[in-house]
Amino acid sequence: MTSSSEKQGLLDKNGGYGATTSDACTNNYDNPIDPSLYSNDDDNGTMHIRNIKGGLKGSLANSISHSIGKLKESMRPFPASVRDMGGTSSLSNEMFNLVKNLIGAGAFGIPSGVATLAGGTATKWAIVPAAGIIILLAAIFGYYFVLLGRICKMTMAASYREAWDRSAGTRGGILKKISFLVPLSIIFIAGIGNVAYSMILADTVKSLAERFGHHISRTASLMTLTVFVLLPLCMVKKLSVLAPFSAVGTAGMVFTLVVMAIRCFDGSYDPEQNGRYLDTAPDLRPYFSDDEHMPPLGTNIFLLSCMCFLAYFCHYNAPRYYTELKNNTIPRFTTVINVSFTVTALVYFAIGIFGYYTFGANTDGYILNNYSANDDLASICRFAIAISVTFTYPLPFIGTRDGILDLFSVSDELQSSTNLNILTLAMLSAFTLLAWHFT
């Protein structure tokens, strides 16, 4: 039998008798444990577990203490840096941000994927399998997004790595050892997106400046944009702050879509109608062969599938979208995802239709390249896309920053506003340097 003094020491070691009422009920994690499990039975106010009697063997006492320890671990809250900020974003703010996070410059490659499905023919039926691919992948990726929110709720996690570790559990073994790969992959994927956006913006701003008679170098364009536009946007700590900018960016995408529809139907690029904007390079002019038969589907589906895969991927921000949503129940979170992915799929489908039906087999990998430099509406679209991409930039940037903090397990105390600003400067400098180096 275990003596009373031995039981006392054992439970003190495991956070039992020696804990005060306040400490035990909060578990040092700010998450209450049901106080009915405890009672103050002595004059000193120390905690005694009601179900543990003096005659319990040491093994049973140890088992109960171990269970309490596991309960403490499972109730660990969100990191303070996220928890203190979270729960304030409305449904509309989340939808604007997520739609903008999804619809980036990559959307304008979808028409070339549709053209690949058509195999250079004049068939109009290529849009049917294209629609199937776009809708199917939207459903799959939307489900994955919801699933990530459910996992965060079940594990009370606020980041990918935290959710991974808690899902693996204490017996995760190799899964816990390789958990660093989770934030590392996020840093790589989201970071590559930021570098690509910097490159696109540098070239776009340079072209727009020349269009209005101002000749500046690509380096000057990149540096000016980074310092005066991207840096202030990337200093934000919450996605909800970016909602107004996302709304403006989405408006730019919608305007471009409307212009594509106008040019698809007004004959401006139709060779049979002697369209007025046929001054582009021969390989960018509309071309439809005489063959109207749909080619058999095979490897030609992969290009559009890969484009949609990249276009729908913004899951690096899923934990943050969930934790920042006001009253973040799973039904509310699911509503955000369903609306956002449906809108995105419709936009992708429309871009694919109007782009392919206008330029056919010669549809470029970036559809705006097909439009004439003398087309004023197209020039406005290029400016609108530059604005849209600019306001998209901080969304993957925040995902990359969260991934770095997650990778190095930066404590909540170190995630101060000053330290986050320093990290932001370092990251943006690195992305700008890479964008400057790679043309």
Side-chain angles (χ1 to χ4, degrees), residues 39-62:
S39 64
N40 290 324
D41 291 335
D42 61 10
D43 295 336
N44 296 324
T46 56
M47 300 301 298
H48 290 267
I49 302 178
R50 286 176 174 172
N51 294 329
I52 298 180
K53 304 301 182 180
L56 285 177
K57 295 183 179 181
S59 59
L60 181 57
N62 185 54

Side-chain angles (χ1 to χ4, degrees), residues 313-326:
F313 189 80
C314 66
H315 296 59
Y316 44 79
N317 275 333
R320 182 174 279 272
Y321 278 114
Y322 172 73
T323 56
E324 288 193 12
L325 177 62
K326 185 178 181 180

Side-chain angles (χ1 to χ4, degrees), residues 82-125:
V82 177
R83 184 181 69 252
D84 294 343
M85 299 188 310
T88 61
S89 184
S90 65
L91 287 174
S92 59
N93 283 352
E94 292 260 313
M95 290 174 188
F96 275 125
N97 279 331
L98 185 51
V99 168
K100 192 68 218 75
N101 209 160
L102 287 164
I103 305 177
F108 295 102
I110 289 178
S112 68
V114 178
T116 302
L117 281 177
T121 67
T123 179
K124 304 298 184 181
W125 291 104

Side-chain angles (χ1 to χ4, degrees), residues 183-204:
L184 191 63
S185 63
I186 292 172
I187 293 169
F188 177 77
I189 295 173
I192 289 296
N194 280 123
V195 174
Y197 281 148
S198 289
M199 295 169 64
I200 292 172
L201 288 171
D203 292 332
T204 302

Side-chain angles (χ1 to χ4, degrees), residues 16-250:
Y17 288 135
T20 65
T21 302
S22 175
D23 289 337
C25 289
T26 61
N27 255 337
N28 295 322
Y29 291 112
D30 297 329
N31 282 310
I33 295 177
D34 187 358
S36 65
L37 294 175
Y38 303 96
S39 64
N40 290 324
D41 291 335
D42 61 10
D43 295 336
N44 296 324
T46 56
M47 300 301 298
H48 290 267
I49 302 178
R50 286 176 174 172
N51 294 329
I52 298 180
K53 304 301 182 180
L56 285 177
K57 295 183 179 181
S59 59
L60 181 57
N62 185 54
S63 176
I64 294 176
S65 298
H66 177 67
S67 298
I68 293 175
K70 292 180 67 176
L71 183 60
K72 291 179 181 180
E73 176 66 22
S74 68
M75 298 185 70
R76 183 177 297 170
F78 303 128
S81 57
V82 177
R83 184 181 69 252
D84 294 343
M85 299 188 310
T88 61
S89 184
S90 65
L91 287 174
S92 59
N93 283 352
E94 292 260 313
M95 290 174 188
F96 275 125
N97 279 331
L98 185 51
V99 168
K100 192 68 218 75
N101 209 160
L102 287 164
I103 305 177
F108 295 102
I110 289 178
S112 68
V114 178
T116 302
L117 281 177
T121 67
T123 179
K124 304 298 184 181
W125 291 104
I127 200 64
V128 176
I133 293 172
I134 291 170
I135 294 172
L136 176 63
L137 289 180
I140 292 173
F141 278 78
Y143 172 74
Y144 287 162
F145 214 101
V146 172
L147 191 60
L148 287 167
R150 291 170 65 95
I151 292 173
C152 287
K153 180 178 180 63
M154 293 169 63
T155 60
M156 297 188 72
S159 70
Y160 261 98
R161 189 173 190 176
E162 198 172 34
W164 177 287
D165 285 339
R166 294 183 182 181
S167 298
T170 56
R171 298 181 181 180
I174 186 64
L175 292 177
K176 293 190 71 90
K177 292 181 180 179
I178 64 172
S179 64
F180 72 93
L181 293 176
V182 179
L184 191 63
S185 63
I186 292 172
I187 293 169
F188 177 77
I189 295 173
I192 289 296
N194 280 123
V195 174
Y197 281 148
S198 289
M199 295 169 64
I200 292 172
L201 288 171
D203 292 332
T204 302
V205 171
K206 179 178 181 295
S207 299
L208 288 172
E210 292 174 349
R211 178 75 172 80
F212 293 100
H214 301 285
H215 297 282
I216 60 174
S217 67
R218 182 178 182 275
T219 301
S221 167
L222 177 62
M223 296 303 173
T224 301
L225 184 73
T226 300
V227 173
F228 295 104
V229 181
L230 297 182
L231 179 58
L233 287 173
C234 292
M235 284 292 183
V236 301
K237 308 302 186 296
K238 296 175 63 176
L239 291 177
S240 58
V241 177
L242 297 171
F245 301 103
S246 294
V248 173
T250 302

